[in-house]
Amino acid sequence: MVNCCGLVSEKNKPVPLKSISVELQVRDHVASVSSRLQYVNEEEQPLEAVFVFPLPAEAAVCHFSAKIGEQEIVAEVQDKQSARDQYDDAVSSGQQAFLLEESEESSDVFKLSVGCLSPGQKASITIAYIIELSVQADDALRFCLPAVLNPRYKPAAPAAGVPEVSSASVIPYTLSLSVEVRSSDRISRLESSCPLAPLQFLDAQHTHATVNLSPGHCFDKDVELFLYYENSHQPSAVVEAGVSTAQSGSLMGDPALMISLYPEFPADVMSSLASEGEFIFVVDRSGSMDCKMHHGNDAQMRIESARDTLLLLLKSLPMGCYFNIYGFGSHFESFFPQSVVYNEDTMDDALKRVKSMKADMGGTEILQPLKHIYSQPCYPDHPRQLFIFTDGEVWNTKEVLDLVKSQVYSHRCFSFGIGEGASTALITGMAREGSGHAQFITGTDRMQPKVMQSLKFALQPAVGEISVSWTVPEGVTVDMLSPPINALFQGQRALIYAQIKGQSSEKTEGAVTVKYRLKDQPVTNELQFTLKPTEDTGLTIHRLAARSVIRSLEIEERTGGADAENIRRRTVELSIQAGVSSAHTAFIGVNKDSKQTVKGPLLQRRVPVPRMMAACYGAPMRMCAMAAPGLARNSARSRQMVPQMAFRSAMPMAPQMAADSAMRCDAGLYSMGIECDSASYEEEAEPQKDPLLELISLQKAAGCWELNASLAAAFGKTEVEVTNQKAAQVDGSVWATVLALIWLYAYKLDQQVEWQFVAMKAASWIRSQKPDGLSQCVCDGNVLLGCQVTEDTLGI
């Protein structure tokens, strides 16, 4: 039996990680994160601790240090192979060494190696990174501290050397989190998925505040923070001074500029959404989609939530567009051989198939369905919009992103990460490379409102001919560091990084102008800014800009060509110059004052972590305490980051376990240390149907409802009651559709983002019928349903 009382693994081996403390500093919409990990070697011989953990894909890792006793070793960035060689040589000779490297498969997975800890020795590891906070549909800025470990599926993985997930019912280390927010805008509120101490404002203007995570937090789920400013759409420009010791003309030597824009489209253009388009919905049906959305008793399975979302999407599409639905796992299938015209027959056919969708297609292989979709010809005048739903557990992230980028001019890609542990590199990367928008559905989030927000973006007219120009004093030039802007959405932030060269002795003002075309209408957004550097920003903007350039270079290198080696060299040079991690560099630190005789291989220890996979297949969210036994260090050179699969864990905190057996798929289920005995849990009762989804499911593709018993039941009435209230001259479908609209506005206004397109179709259909006595019809409907909704509110 596992001893869960002490800090020990499954085989009573001491766990070296004792505590994690995180300091989060937010400046407007940029966050600086410092994580301190405390390790202790409680064994009787030297130890190597190895951890694999996720970081946000867009994070710029800029600091790595270790403190042993009173001595602090600050790591430096070097070429990755050189850093590995130094680490191996140091550990082999008995010196303490520390290595932090990014996965070559995915930019959101890192590996930390802490080598040659003496018996009884303590080590404090600090990892720091900076990141732009993402904007949510309700204008909140989101920060996520991931805690969940999910495996990444790779097909046909050989059994030997595959990492194994180790999970625990009791996480054997503590977590503390402190947050400080400074803003040029007034802070409205700060919310979290976890208990927080009261928000403390440190000034009368409410622009400076602190808050802490409540003590006793069980780190078994992501810690999400949502920060609200009073004027979140305020454009801004920040200039940061360069490093005086850096070479003049280099990125780090010159001032860096960060521009934040929130495009506002003309009202007349936004009043009518597009009625054309090809909408392709790609749904993950792998075994991991049979997990619960969150830990609560009322949580839906991921696949159930996906089915409900597809119902909403299918009912919200405009008549005359094209659509198709793909499901993928170890293989893929589509509802139709190619996209079909959206009408009543094709919608009904698709809905019948959606109802039978299950998470029964094995592993998570997204590359092949994407290749098949891109091989299909596009329809003229119907821009392709791709919606991808996945829990993000794939191994070949960069290959997927390169494919999406290669098709950027033929489609827009909207991606959705489902559940805790979804890969930020995959989800945000697909949206970025596909000129779309990314959303994450975690905790108790409902999938439907976030997806419908993205559908609203997809139905917005595509922005074309985007250009950026600069107006600066004579003697000053501005070089864009960000990749070209390919997509703009109403009210969504667009970030631009630039390098300012030269100087002017007179004028200190500049301006940036973004021009584009929207439905053949020219639009101009302009922002004035000062060239005077802002104080107290450190090197935040320079490092974020360097991270942006590094990512562009890495993508360029992967596309091939004779210049690949030169691009790699430039990447390494910039990474070292900026002190920011890349796929080709690593942080290395060696304590050259420490040296001890090491007899035999070093012990290797790893730490159990939580993971959502244990919640799959209806099983309760309980995890068995498992840990890898001490593994001999077979070869100093054999250090592959992700031998066959990468596994997600908790920031620079939750580690990854090594393994000896591959993930296999059997009847759609994963065999990953989870025993699924169908007899072990009771038959679940039929879930209560959502009244909103019930009503929407009855709507016709054209936008109307039919007057029948099912519709009456949705209102809590009998068919006789509903029919008798109808005026004689009013058509039955008009009466039914008016009632549906009244009910939506009266009883489901708080969920309007979910049914807004359903209502727009209904109102448009009613107007097309030009019915007589419409005002009386609305009055009669209000009487029947006990409401007071006006005709103007209904938009008819």
Side-chain angles (χ1 to χ4, degrees):
M1 182 175 178
V2 177
N3 178 0
C4 291
C5 299
L7 299 181
V8 295
S9 67
E10 182 185 20
K11 297 190 177 181
N12 290 326
K13 299 296 183 183
V15 173
L17 178 59
K18 302 298 179 179
S19 67
I20 302 164
S21 61
V22 181
E23 294 181 1
L24 172 64
Q25 294 185 321
V26 179
R27 184 72 176 263
D28 293 324
H29 58 261
V30 173
S32 300
V33 186
S34 178
S35 302
R36 183 172 289 108
L37 297 80
Q38 301 285 350
Y39 300 106
V40 179
N41 180 8
E42 296 181 337
E43 304 196 31
E44 297 178 355
Q45 52 188 309
L47 178 72
E48 179 187 32
V50 180
F51 298 86
V52 173
F53 55 88
L55 285 178
E58 305 305 317
V61 179
C62 55
H63 177 84
F64 174 45
S65 63
K67 188 173 183 179
I68 299 176
E70 295 302 315
Q71 184 175 14
E72 183 176 20
I73 300 100
V74 178
E76 60 183 27
V77 180
Q78 295 186 12
D79 178 85
K80 181 177 285 186
Q81 190 56 54
S82 174
R84 287 175 172 177
D85 291 344
Q86 284 190 52
Y87 178 85
D88 291 338
D89 292 342
V91 171
S92 299
S93 64
Q95 291 179 317
Q96 291 158 349
F98 311 89
L99 181 69
L100 179 67
E101 53 185 317
E102 178 184 317
S103 166
E104 294 175 2
E105 293 294 341
S106 184
S107 61
D108 64 345
V109 178
F110 280 75
K111 178 180 177 181
L112 167 62
S113 301
V114 181
C116 217
L117 282 182
S118 303
Q121 195 166 49
K122 299 179 180 179
S124 175
I125 306 295
T126 299
I127 298 172
Y129 65 90
I130 48 181
I131 187 172
E132 307 147 356
L133 298 180
S134 60
V135 182
Q136 304 301 289
D138 62 354
D139 295 330
L141 296 176
R142 175 181 180 263
F143 171 77
C144 180
L145 197 64
V148 174
L149 180 77
N150 280 345
R152 303 233 175 129
Y153 177 78
K154 180 174 182 179
V162 179
E164 175 185 301
V165 175
S166 176
S167 57
S169 57
V170 178
I171 305 305
Y173 45 83
T174 60
L175 169 70
S176 64
L177 171 66
S178 64
V179 183
E180 181 182 16
V181 182
R182 290 179 183 270
S183 173
S184 55
D185 189 17
R186 187 179 176 90
I187 301 166
S188 176
R189 66 186 189 278
L190 193 150
E191 299 175 352
S192 176
S193 59
C194 302
L196 296 177
L199 184 67
Q200 301 289 329
F201 287 103
L202 304 183
D203 65 349
Q205 294 75 33
H206 285 199
T207 60
H208 187 194
T210 62
V211 70
N212 296 319
L213 188 66
S214 297
H217 171 67
C218 180
F219 196 33
D220 60 350
K221 63 180 179 180
D222 293 353
V223 178
E224 288 184 291
L225 299 176
F226 299 93
L227 176 61
Y228 295 83
Y229 294 133
E230 286 194 358
N231 188 11
S232 59
H233 282 204
Q234 184 67 37
S236 64
V238 180
V239 176
E240 182 178 84
V243 181
S244 58
T245 56
Q247 181 180 351
S248 177
S250 67
L251 188 153
M252 301 304 291
D254 287 335
L257 170 65
M258 179 173 66
I259 300 286
S260 301
L261 296 174
Y262 291 86
E264 296 294 335
F265 296 166
D268 58 328
V269 174
M270 295 305 300
S271 61
S272 60
L273 296 175
S275 58
E276 300 86 16
E278 180 192 13
F279 299 87
I280 302 178
F281 307 112
V282 184
V283 182
D284 189 341
R285 289 177 54 186
S286 62
S288 56
M289 287 290 287
D290 216 10
C291 295
K292 289 187 175 181
M293 290 290 294
H294 57 84
H295 301 170
N297 294 328
D298 60 342
Q300 276 188 306
M301 293 307 203
R302 295 176 183 177
I303 194 66
E304 292 175 2
S305 185
R307 286 197 297 262
D308 289 348
T309 303
L310 284 172
L311 165 65
L312 268 180
L313 285 167
L314 286 171
K315 293 291 184 176
S316 300
L317 293 179
M319 286 290 284
C321 72
Y322 288 80
F323 80 102
N324 204 349
I325 298 176
Y326 283 72
F328 72 93
S330 298
H331 59 284
F332 70 89
E333 62 184 30
S334 60
F335 282 16
F336 308 102
Q338 60 188 34
S339 296
V340 295
V341 174
Y342 177 79
N343 56 38
E344 188 65 34
D345 292 337
T346 55
M347 184 194 74
D348 284 344
D349 187 7
L351 285 171
K352 290 175 184 176
R353 300 187 66 170
V354 165
K355 289 179 181 178
S356 63
M357 283 178 58
K358 297 179 181 179
D360 58 358
M361 294 183 71
T364 311
E365 297 181 42
I366 194 173
L367 195 62
Q368 294 308 314
L370 288 178
K371 287 182 177 179
H372 183 268
I373 291 168
Y374 294 145
S375 71
Q376 301 285 316
C378 295
Y379 291 91
D381 301 320
H382 287 273
R384 178 171 287 172
Q385 316 278 5
L386 198 59
F387 285 66
I388 300 178
F389 303 84
T390 179
D391 51 20
E393 298 166 13
V394 304
W395 66 279
N396 54 345
T397 300
K398 291 183 178 179
E399 192 176 357
V400 172
L401 299 188
D402 290 344
L403 177 64
V404 174
K405 183 178 178 63
S406 70
Q407 301 292 321
V408 65
Y409 297 110
S410 67
H411 81 306
R412 286 194 290 185
C413 181
F414 299 85
S415 52
F416 305 89
I418 301 172
E420 295 172 347
S423 166
T424 59
L426 180 71
I427 304 303
T428 62
M430 285 192 295
R432 181 184 64 249
E433 304 303 344
S435 300
H437 189 256
Q439 301 264 26
F440 288 88
I441 299 102
T442 59
T444 56
D445 288 347
R446 296 183 71 248
M447 189 184 301
Q448 290 85 346
K450 292 197 172 187
V451 174
M452 299 314 290
Q453 173 69 32
S454 290
L455 179 62
K456 186 173 184 178
F457 289 150
L459 290 171
Q460 287 180 11
V463 174
E465 301 179 22
I466 304 173
S467 66
V468 178
S469 59
W470 305 89
T471 303
V472 290
E474 187 176 353
V476 177
T477 59
V478 178
D479 287 352
M480 280 271 289
L481 299 175
S482 305
I485 300 175
N486 292 321
L488 289 173
F489 297 104
Q490 163 75 15
Q492 287 295 297
R493 185 181 68 210
L495 281 175
I496 299 174
Y497 292 103
Q499 179 179 349
I500 301 176
K501 296 183 177 182
Q503 55 186 353
S504 172
S505 58
E506 299 179 1
K507 297 181 180 179
T508 60
E509 299 293 322
V512 58
T513 303
V514 180
K515 295 182 179 180
Y516 49 90
R517 296 193 70 82
L518 192 65
K519 292 188 80 173
D520 295 325
Q521 180 175 333
V523 182
T524 299
N525 292 150
E526 185 175 282
L527 176 66
Q528 303 284 335
F529 60 88
T530 177
L531 294 172
K532 184 180 178 181
T534 305
E535 297 180 357
D536 301 327
T537 60
L539 291 175
T540 298
I541 295 173
H542 281 81
R543 285 169 171 159
L544 286 173
R547 179 65 165 168
S548 176
V549 175
I550 286 169
R551 283 289 171 255
S552 297
L553 288 172
E554 289 172 346
I555 293 171
E556 186 180 352
E557 179 191 356
R558 292 199 304 271
T559 58
D563 207 30
E565 186 56 37
N566 183 48
I567 295 172
R568 183 188 187 283
R569 179 186 54 77
R570 289 167 55 197
T571 302
V572 172
E573 287 178 355
L574 179 56
S575 176
I576 293 173
Q577 178 192 133
V580 171
S581 62
S582 74
H584 297 309
T585 54
F587 283 89
I588 175 68
V590 177
N591 183 4
K592 296 181 180 179
D593 294 335
S594 68
K595 196 163 187 178
Q596 57 188 305
T597 303
V598 180
K599 295 181 179 179
L602 283 175
L603 290 178
Q604 196 176 69
R605 291 288 178 258
R606 304 164 191 263
V607 182
V609 294
R611 62 177 176 137
M612 279 296 290
M613 295 304 297
C616 286
Y617 324 124
M621 186 59 188
R622 295 184 59 84
M623 305 182 189
C624 301
M626 295 162 39
L631 299 178
R633 185 181 181 84
N634 296 323
S635 167
R637 308 292 181 196
S638 60
R639 188 188 299 101
Q640 187 178 356
M641 170 79 68
V642 189
Q644 303 299 336
M645 296 177 290
F647 297 85
R648 296 187 59 73
S649 77
M651 39 172 278
M653 5 205 109
Q656 162 169 322
M657 309 305 301
D660 358 303
S661 61
M663 177 189 304
R664 308 215 177 262
C665 299
D666 184 85
L669 302 182
Y670 290 127
S671 173
M672 291 182 291
I674 302 174
E675 295 294 334
C676 292
D677 183 356
S678 58
S680 63
Y681 27 89
E682 300 174 0
E683 186 74 23
E684 294 186 11
E686 181 73 19
Q688 188 172 2
K689 294 181 179 179
D690 184 335
L692 175 60
L693 292 178
E694 278 292 288
L695 177 67
I696 291 175
S697 69
L698 299 173
Q699 189 187 34
K700 298 297 182 180
C704 65
W705 275 265
E706 291 183 345
L707 183 58
N708 53 35
S710 297
L711 181 68
F715 301 141
K717 307 286 183 181
T718 66
E719 187 175 7
V720 173
E721 288 178 297
V722 174
T723 304
N724 288 345
Q725 194 72 28
K726 180 181 77 69
Q729 77 275 17
V730 176
D731 174 77
S733 292
V734 171
W735 170 240
T737 306
V738 168
L739 288 178
L741 282 175
I742 291 173
W743 186 88
L744 288 172
Y745 280 99
Y747 298 110
K748 294 297 178 181
L749 194 59
D750 59 332
Q751 294 177 246
Q752 186 175 8
V753 69
E754 300 180 37
W755 51 261
Q756 57 184 318
F757 300 114
V758 165
M760 287 173 64
K761 285 174 65 174
S764 177
W765 180 86
I766 291 174
R767 291 193 299 269
S768 71
Q769 302 303 300
K770 300 178 181 178
D772 294 329
L774 191 56
S775 297
Q776 186 61 45
C777 185
V778 173
C779 292
D780 294 341
N782 277 313
V783 172
L784 176 66
L785 299 178
C787 310
Q788 292 183 335
V789 181
T790 66
E791 190 174 343
D792 287 342
T793 299
L794 301 181
I796 56 177

